[in-house]
Amino acid sequence: HGRQHGKARPEPVVLANVDGTMYAFGGMCTHADGPLGKGKLRGDVVECPFHGGQFEVRTGKAVMPPATEDIPTFEVRVVADDIHVVLL
């Protein structure tokens, strides 16, 4: 009662190496669904290739318009030579 079911739209996850630490974040810009995996990483900020919106990859915070909504971030675990991303 009261539950709604819907199909989740799969979203790409991007990995970024910032000073030797791996970060994982949602791969679609919140402004116009631009592919953040094709954007430029400068320090710990990724720039969307569509309109230049920028996000801090450690927190997902939108730091440059036109992006105003944050992106999701995910826990990363490095186990030996494997990188695990926790998508919960």
Side-chain angles (χ1 to χ4, degrees), residues 37-78:
K38 295 185 181 205
K40 292 184 178 167
L41 182 66
R42 293 184 182 96
D44 64 350
V45 173
V46 65
E47 180 178 307
C48 179
F50 280 8
H51 304 109
Q54 296 180 5
F55 302 88
E56 204 280 324
V57 301
R58 299 171 204 253
T59 64
K61 183 160 182 57
V63 294
M64 177 68 69
T68 56
E69 268 186 64
D70 299 348
I71 55 173
T73 57
F74 305 98
E75 180 183 348
V76 176
R77 299 177 186 157
V78 179

Side-chain angles (χ1 to χ4, degrees), residues 1 8 11-12 14 17 20-21 24 27 31 33 36-37 44-45 48 51 54 56 62 67 77 79 81 87:
H1 181 258
E11 179 178 332
V14 179
N17 183 335
T21 301
H31 169 249
D33 291 341
L36 296 178
D44 64 350
V45 173
C48 179
H51 304 109
Q54 296 180 5
E56 204 280 324
R77 299 177 186 157
V79 181
D81 290 335
L87 299 176

